[in-house]
Amino acid sequence: MNSKAIAVMVSGHGTNLKVILEAVAAGACPVDVRLVISDKADAGALQIAHDGGVAHVIHLNPKDYPDRALFDAACADLIDQHGCQWIVLAGYMRILSSFFVRRFPRRIINIHPAILPAFPGAKAVEDALAYGVKASGCTVHLVDEVLDGGSILAQSIVPVLDDDTRDSLHARIQKEEHKLYPATLRRMVEDGFSIVGRTVIWNANHSRLDQ
Ligand code: GAR
């Protein structure tokens, strides 16, 4: 199985990072998590990265940079310096600048806790509950310059129950995220994909992650 160097960008607890690292260790996700970048010093994901044996675990403080573009440029330089071909956003809560997205076209992947295009943005779980939907879920997608608007790689649906709170619904969604994210990364490596219009077509050899 081929390996592929990825950078994971995080801001929070890091449960998605954890399941990716566990899948890699179990031989179920043929990627090489070479670099983890957090924009938060207290992100639990930093400890998870250390515990998971990631070689390069870096906190960059946005306040040390005059603007978003320069912060993103520092992240992009680190990603290039470490030879990472792909960037996996795992609970990274900063909006990426156009500069950053254009520097890695179709090479940034995100997981979002809703069935896009419904409920983009930072409050997806709350927004889905407030709207009164009876099902929600998670989406793995490529990142483009539209917030949560890139081509969809995979989705998984969960029911919304009458007595759900933000936390109970998010916990149900996260269970699905933890299966979907490693499985989708694996599929990207093993099957490859192409994009027709904005639709991802799997099993297209010329877009394989390992080429
Ligand atoms: C995940 O539920 C992910 O979908 C969400 O943040 C959580 C991170 O959890 N991402 C977004 O809302 C991005 N807009 P984790 O830190 O435990 O992986």
Side-chain angles (χ1 to χ4, degrees):
M1 219 181 269
N2 288 302
S3 211
K4 200 72 193 173
I6 64 171
V8 181
M9 297 179 75
V10 294
S11 303
H13 296 299
T15 62
N16 280 287
L17 172 63
K18 186 165 188 280
V19 294
I20 291 168
L21 291 170
E22 285 170 355
V24 172
C29 186
V31 300
D32 167 17
V33 181
R34 198 171 279 180
L35 170 68
V36 169
I37 300 174
S38 173
D39 64 324
K40 301 268 191 227
D42 58 354
L46 287 168
Q47 191 59 48
I48 284 172
H50 284 298
D51 292 347
V54 177
H56 306 283
V57 183
I58 296 171
H59 165 240
L60 285 187
N61 187 348
K63 291 188 180 140
D64 292 340
Y65 297 83
D67 59 31
R68 180 187 302 275
L70 285 168
F71 176 79
D72 282 0
C75 293
D77 288 345
L78 276 175
I79 288 161
D80 282 343
Q81 282 158 21
H82 289 84
C84 298
Q85 302 286 319
W86 288 77
I87 299 139
V88 171
L89 307 181
Y92 186 66
M93 298 310 282
R94 285 175 67 81
I95 293 175
L96 294 168
S97 59
S98 297
F99 151 82
F100 188 94
V101 175
R102 285 197 212 117
R103 185 150 158 184
F104 303 103
R106 293 181 173 178
R107 294 251 154 195
I108 311 169
I109 305 152
N110 183 43
I111 190 156
H112 182 76
I115 297 296
L116 292 170
F119 313 119
K123 296 198 166 155
V125 181
E126 293 93 319
D127 291 347
L129 266 183
Y131 195 91
V133 292
K134 297 297 185 198
S136 190
C138 51
T139 303
V140 179
H141 64 96
L142 295 172
V143 172
D144 66 13
E145 290 181 56
V146 177
L147 179 65
D148 298 323
S151 290
I152 291 170
L153 290 157
Q155 293 182 305
S156 188
I157 292 170
V158 302
V160 178
L161 306 181
D162 290 347
D163 60 353
D164 261 334
T165 62
R166 183 206 173 276
D167 286 349
S168 65
L169 178 56
H170 194 203
R172 195 175 307 117
I173 291 170
Q174 284 221 289
K175 271 194 182 171
E176 290 304 309
E177 291 187 338
H178 296 162
K179 291 183 261 177
L180 192 67
Y181 219 178
T184 305
L185 294 176
R186 176 179 187 149
R187 195 172 187 196
M188 290 174 76
V189 172
E190 293 185 345
D191 295 356
F193 64 92
S194 64
I195 299 171
V196 179
R198 54 161 294 123
T199 300
V200 168
I201 309 289
W202 289 101
N203 294 310
N205 287 338
H206 63 274
S207 293
R208 287 166 65 97
L209 252 176
D210 60 352
Q211 288 181 346

